[in-house]
Amino acid sequence: MNGAKRGASRATTIIDIAKVAGVSKSTVSLVLKDSPLVKPGTRQRVNQAIEQLGYVYNRSAASLRTSKSSFVGMVISDLMNPFFAELAVGIEDELNDFGFVPILANTNENVDRQARVLQSLLEHGVAGVIMSPANGTDAWTLAATLPRSLPVVLTMRRVEGSPLPYVGPDNRTGACRAVRHLIGLGHRRIAFIGGFGTMTTQSERLSGYFDALQEAGLQRDETLIFDAAPTRNGGMDAAARALAHSGRPTAAFCFNDIVAIGVTRAIALRGLRVGADIAVIGFDDVVGAEHNLPPLTTVSADTRLMGARAARGLLGLIEGADPATASFTGETRLVIRESCGAQQETIGGTT
Amino acid sequence: MNGAKRGASRATTIIDIAKVAGVSKSTVSLVLKDSPLVKPGTRQRVNQAIEQLGYVYNRSAASLRTSKSSFVGMVISDLMNPFFAELAVGIEDELNDFGFVPILANTNENVDRQARVLQSLLEHGVAGVIMSPANGTDAWTLAATLPRSLPVVLTMRRVEGSPLPYVGPDNRTGACRAVRHLIGLGHRRIAFIGGFGTMTTQSERLSGYFDALQEAGLQRDETLIFDAAPTRNGGMDAAARALAHSGRPTAAFCFNDIVAIGVTRAIALRGLRVGADIAVIGFDDVVGAEHNLPPLTTVSADTRLMGARAARGLLGLIEGADPATASFTGETRLVIRESCGAQQETIGGTT
């Protein structure tokens, strides 16, 4: 057992704590291990003594014995996308309630960095990991990196062939809903903008886009699919290509909101009106979607709730639940604002 | 020494690695401790064997002996503000280059949550901490929580009375530059919008605002200072109050970019033109500033570089450098876009 007193000369020991709390050394030890054997009143006295003496429990030492950690790793692929920050906040809120300390590591879509991050989380003995895999992650590498004993939940991006539990929105139905709305507004040439074919999220959303076209008896036109980095600049670049298309689309369904924000910006820069001249719909409903000019119509999967579900799934695994129970597919809903042109009069007010 | 083989039945030991690499057990041990005593070729052979056998180094065990960790904690106060995500990416890029794994913990401006996060980082023996303190953090509590031996750099927010090294932009000069620009464009009634008086960042930026007014011989008007949460909604609410003011301001200098984005939105919703009717300037130059409609004029402190400087300061402390050398005040520059009205013709193109 080991402790470090806050800025003092001699390290506080559990003997000191036991004296102050008026309990035995082993009772202090039980409290430190979160044992259910200690009565609430006693636990409170010990914790007060710990507080008073400024004792820091050395969990590195403890985790060797108990293999328990308060850390839960959240491994995300792109911290610059506000969507992931919102997801992380949803995860955090849930984990905090259960006494875990969520720590976030950003892989920046780099599989090598992801491998180092996972390795380091394992070395520090985290209690579990929630990860949104970097683009290019394969099931085999993931299985080879993560010990089977470690509770892991994948979120937002499936890894084909991986048996790990997965929490994410119903991308296909959500995308179908958005494109159906555009068709209902009279659009026939609808672009799909953003993401890459290697991303499972793109193929799921693209499937929904095709579903809606098929429902309406519209022909697929592969030239209306514009791959691009899932970023604001990716959206701007792809929009420039879409606007230069000989059969220019009258509407764009975007891979995500930051792509859609870039698309609306590119349209405005050309003196065209988003909504009136070209309809735009995003996906995610990030906080910035509502504050975009014009406010973005988008598919919400209730990001924070999704984060909370991933966290609850992981907490279940930590407690030994069947991995099958940790998976969850979230319903989506279309949030109609101004960028789709359904509310023309509102758009008029801002120009 | 302890290891866990990836998904296999028996744990790999350093003896297995030594056999495969054709070296002694103690050489493997030296490699695991990153000792400079091992020749590069030997190190490579050992690392290949580690890779091949899927050995996971148990750093919890190791950190008891060496007190070294690959984790560096980044404690930030508001993950929902894209500014902090960008700062974290700047920190990460630098730390990754030096073999550290940056992990991020969000306190959500909650000092109790901050205390738990710091406690947990200490328990896991992180190599150091870079923190942007939650609003309300006091020097005494900080000193009582953090052992003196732990390398810590404060960033973006000073804690009055704390001797800890601090890395941040020159808020006062940056704010003065922005307000001077508004005065140069002919504005006399300039609002200051966002933040609270308890935030050192607000008082620094407010000082710069006052400096510019004084320079120009303009009277302070305390009724033009609108405190508000440093968020988009905070900006929207405060803008509503500013626009209802009997002596309505013709320009607004905002606490940060997300406040400014909320302010531009509130102005547009009332049918007024940002730039032409009311000039708006933000602070931070987050990625979304450029993509705002109209694009935000803002004060850049080069956030990623600032993150890199904080990281370099911390790396110095970890290596035993004098804490005084870790502090850094960054120069700011005014990025003139369209929201300040200096480029009216460009704004015209989007309406």
Side-chain angles (χ1 to χ4, degrees):
Chain A
M1 196 65 57
N2 208 341
K5 196 167 171 184
R6 299 169 185 171
S9 52
R10 188 181 69 82
T12 304
T13 67
I14 59 169
I15 301 170
D16 301 327
I17 297 165
K19 265 189 208 155
V20 170
V23 298
S24 71
K25 207 177 83 174
S26 54
T27 302
V28 176
S29 180
L30 285 173
V31 170
L32 290 173
K33 283 181 210 155
D34 276 335
S35 164
L37 303 173
V38 187
K39 284 183 203 153
T42 311
R43 179 184 305 276
Q44 200 186 347
R45 280 217 309 287
V46 172
N47 281 326
Q48 276 165 357
I50 287 170
E51 179 87 357
Q52 188 186 327
L53 296 171
Y55 179 78
V56 175
Y57 183 42
N58 189 327
R59 205 174 285 268
S60 280
S63 74
L64 279 178
R65 294 186 304 273
T66 67
S67 285
K68 274 198 176 176
S69 166
S70 62
F71 274 168
V72 166
M74 300 185 288
V75 180
I76 64 162
S77 49
D78 181 12
L79 189 55
M80 292 293 284
N81 182 350
F83 170 78
F84 286 109
E86 292 178 29
L87 181 73
V89 168
I91 294 171
E92 282 173 353
D93 285 347
E94 189 77 12
L95 291 176
N96 272 302
D97 287 350
F98 288 87
F100 285 98
V101 172
I103 54 171
L104 192 152
N106 178 28
T107 62
N108 208 18
E109 301 288 7
N110 180 325
V111 287
D112 294 332
R113 192 152 145 183
Q114 178 171 281
R116 282 199 303 278
V117 159
L118 289 174
Q119 189 76 2
S120 196
L121 289 171
L122 289 172
E123 287 170 5
H124 281 84
V126 290
V129 170
I130 296 173
M131 71 183 287
S132 174
N135 195 17
T137 304
D138 65 273
W140 191 90
T141 308
L142 210 52
T145 309
L146 299 167
R148 275 186 214 177
S149 57
L150 183 76
V152 177
V153 171
L154 300 181
T155 186
M156 304 317 300
R157 292 177 180 176
R158 286 176 205 279
V159 174
E160 271 173 69
S162 171
L164 291 169
Y166 170 79
V167 173
D170 185 341
N171 285 313
R172 186 167 181 164
T173 308
C176 180
R177 204 160 271 163
V179 178
R180 196 185 283 149
H181 178 70
L182 290 170
I183 293 169
L185 291 171
H187 294 284
R188 294 296 172 268
R189 294 190 60 72
I190 302 167
F192 182 102
I193 297 185
F196 295 107
T198 50
M199 304 166 87
T200 57
T201 311
Q202 200 217 40
S203 60
E204 289 171 16
R205 292 180 185 172
L206 204 48
S207 298
Y209 163 86
F210 289 138
D211 289 347
L213 294 183
Q214 194 172 24
E215 253 179 32
L218 296 172
Q219 283 270 304
R220 275 188 195 208
D221 180 349
E222 305 283 340
T223 68
L224 288 179
I225 299 166
F226 299 89
D227 278 4
T231 61
R232 288 178 187 82
N233 285 331
M236 285 193 77
D237 295 349
R241 281 182 275 141
L243 291 171
H245 191 289
S246 57
R248 196 166 91 179
T250 62
F253 171 58
C254 301
F255 176 71
N256 66 14
D257 283 348
I258 55 170
V259 165
I261 288 169
V263 168
T264 61
R265 178 96 186 89
I267 292 170
L269 279 174
R270 277 159 187 78
L272 297 169
R273 288 163 306 157
V274 175
D277 296 323
I278 298 178
V280 177
I281 298 186
F283 204 112
D284 286 345
D285 198 21
V286 296
V287 172
E290 192 184 342
H291 293 276
N292 192 51
L293 275 182
L296 264 192
T297 292
T298 184
V299 180
S300 167
D302 212 333
T303 312
R304 290 217 186 185
L305 180 71
M306 201 64 62
R309 287 306 297 243
R312 247 175 282 161
L314 187 78
L315 291 166
L317 295 181
I318 290 171
E319 286 168 1
D322 179 349
T325 63
S327 287
F328 176 77
T329 302
E331 285 295 312
T332 59
R333 65 196 160 86
L334 187 65
V335 180
I336 299 174
R337 296 200 183 97
E338 300 171 23
S339 65
C340 63
Q343 303 175 349
Q344 291 300 336
E345 66 288 356
T346 323
I347 292 180
T350 66
T351 53
Chain B
M1 196 66 58
N2 208 340
K5 196 166 169 183
R6 299 168 185 172
S9 52
R10 188 181 69 85
T12 305
T13 67
I14 59 170
I15 301 169
D16 302 326
I17 297 164
K19 265 189 208 152
V20 171
V23 298
S24 72
K25 207 177 81 173
S26 54
T27 301
V28 175
S29 179
L30 286 173
V31 170
L32 289 172
K33 284 180 208 156
D34 276 334
S35 163
L37 302 173
V38 187
K39 284 184 204 154
T42 311
R43 179 184 305 276
Q44 202 185 345
R45 279 216 311 286
V46 172
N47 281 327
Q48 276 165 357
I50 288 170
E51 179 85 357
Q52 189 187 325
L53 296 171
Y55 179 77
V56 175
Y57 183 43
N58 189 328
R59 206 173 284 268
S60 280
S63 72
L64 280 179
R65 295 185 303 275
T66 66
S67 284
K68 274 197 177 179
S69 166
S70 62
F71 273 169
V72 165
M74 300 184 288
V75 180
I76 65 163
S77 49
D78 182 12
L79 189 54
M80 292 292 285
N81 181 349
F83 170 78
F84 286 109
E86 293 177 29
L87 181 73
V89 168
I91 293 171
E92 282 173 353
D93 285 347
E94 188 78 11
L95 290 176
N96 273 301
D97 288 349
F98 288 87
F100 285 98
V101 172
I103 54 171
L104 191 152
N106 178 29
T107 62
N108 208 18
E109 302 288 9
N110 181 325
V111 286
D112 294 331
R113 192 151 145 183
Q114 178 171 281
R116 282 200 302 277
V117 160
L118 288 174
Q119 189 76 3
S120 196
L121 289 171
L122 289 172
E123 287 169 6
H124 281 84
V126 291
V129 169
I130 296 173
M131 72 182 285
S132 175
N135 195 17
T137 303
D138 66 274
W140 191 90
T141 307
L142 209 52
T145 309
L146 300 167
R148 278 188 211 175
S149 57
L150 184 75
V152 177
V153 171
L154 300 182
T155 186
M156 303 317 300
R157 291 177 180 178
R158 289 176 203 278
V159 174
E160 271 173 69
S162 172
L164 290 168
Y166 170 78
V167 173
D170 185 341
N171 286 313
R172 185 166 183 165
T173 309
C176 181
R177 206 162 268 162
V179 179
R180 196 185 282 148
H181 177 72
L182 290 170
I183 294 170
L185 291 171
H187 295 284
R188 294 295 172 268
R189 292 191 61 73
I190 303 167
F192 182 102
I193 297 184
F196 294 108
T198 51
M199 305 166 86
T200 56
T201 311
Q202 199 217 41
S203 60
E204 289 171 14
R205 292 180 186 171
L206 204 47
S207 297
Y209 163 84
F210 289 138
D211 289 348
L213 294 182
Q214 194 173 25
E215 252 180 33
L218 295 172
Q219 283 268 304
R220 278 187 194 208
D221 180 351
E222 305 283 341
T223 68
L224 289 179
I225 299 166
F226 299 89
D227 279 4
T231 62
R232 288 178 187 83
N233 285 332
M236 286 193 76
D237 295 347
R241 281 181 276 141
L243 292 171
H245 192 289
S246 56
R248 196 167 89 181
T250 62
F253 170 58
C254 301
F255 175 72
N256 67 15
D257 283 349
I258 56 170
V259 165
I261 288 169
V263 168
T264 62
R265 178 97 188 88
I267 292 170
L269 278 174
R270 277 160 188 77
L272 298 169
R273 289 162 305 157
V274 175
D277 296 322
I278 298 178
V280 178
I281 298 187
F283 203 111
D284 287 345
D285 198 19
V286 297
V287 172
E290 191 183 343
H291 294 276
N292 191 52
L293 274 183
L296 263 194
T297 293
T298 183
V299 180
S300 166
D302 211 334
T303 312
R304 291 219 186 182
L305 180 71
M306 201 64 60
R309 287 305 298 245
R312 248 176 281 163
L314 187 77
L315 291 166
L317 294 182
I318 291 171
E319 286 168 359
D322 179 350
T325 63
S327 288
F328 176 77
T329 302
E331 285 294 314
T332 58
R333 63 197 161 85
L334 187 65
V335 181
I336 298 173
R337 296 199 183 98
E338 299 171 24
S339 65
C340 62
Q343 303 174 351
Q344 291 298 336
E345 67 287 357
T346 323
I347 293 179
T350 64
T351 56

